[in-house]
Amino acid sequence: MTTLSVLLGLDLAGMDEEEEQTPTPPPKPKETAPPPPKEEDLPENKRMALKEKELGNAAYKKKDFATALKHYEEALKHDPTNMTYVSNQAGKN
């Protein structure tokens, strides 16, 4: 171990003393994102958009892509600010 420390240029004796003198700082708490708003807290148009999206997802799982696309288009009409509905249309075409 001594030979290796000399070859690497490390002072193992000094490292032991430094470790004892410098306490490690406590880990920082993880920043958590606020929970998404509950459906009942959303405006009517966004609730309707979510319902259309869920209907579209159900149709997509049944491989009824035409129906799924119609639901995603309706969802986008209700909430044009949510790009999820646009990406659903793009990914499902």
Side-chain angles (χ1 to χ4, degrees):
M1 188 73 155
T2 305
T3 305
L4 184 59
S5 67
V6 171
L7 290 174
L8 294 174
L10 299 175
D11 181 18
L12 294 180
M15 289 177 62
D16 291 338
E17 293 172 8
E18 288 178 19
E19 287 179 14
E20 292 173 8
Q21 293 175 358
T22 19
T24 57
K28 294 180 181 178
K30 294 182 180 178
E31 294 181 23
T32 57
K38 296 178 182 174
E39 188 173 328
E40 56 267 5
D41 296 339
L42 294 174
E44 182 66 23
N45 67 321
K46 293 191 181 212
R47 272 191 297 219
M48 292 175 68
L50 281 174
K51 288 185 192 297
E52 289 292 337
K53 178 187 172 215
E54 290 170 7
L55 291 171
N57 289 347
Y60 182 78
K61 288 177 183 176
K62 294 177 185 175
K63 299 191 186 284
D64 185 0
F65 303 119
T67 303
L69 187 57
K70 288 178 186 174
H71 285 295
Y72 295 140
E73 288 170 353
E74 281 299 312
L76 188 61
K77 287 179 187 175
H78 291 297
D79 184 9
T81 63
N82 192 331
M83 292 299 107
T84 302
Y85 310 134
V86 174
S87 67
N88 281 353
Q89 290 176 15
K92 307 324 189 222
N93 285 337

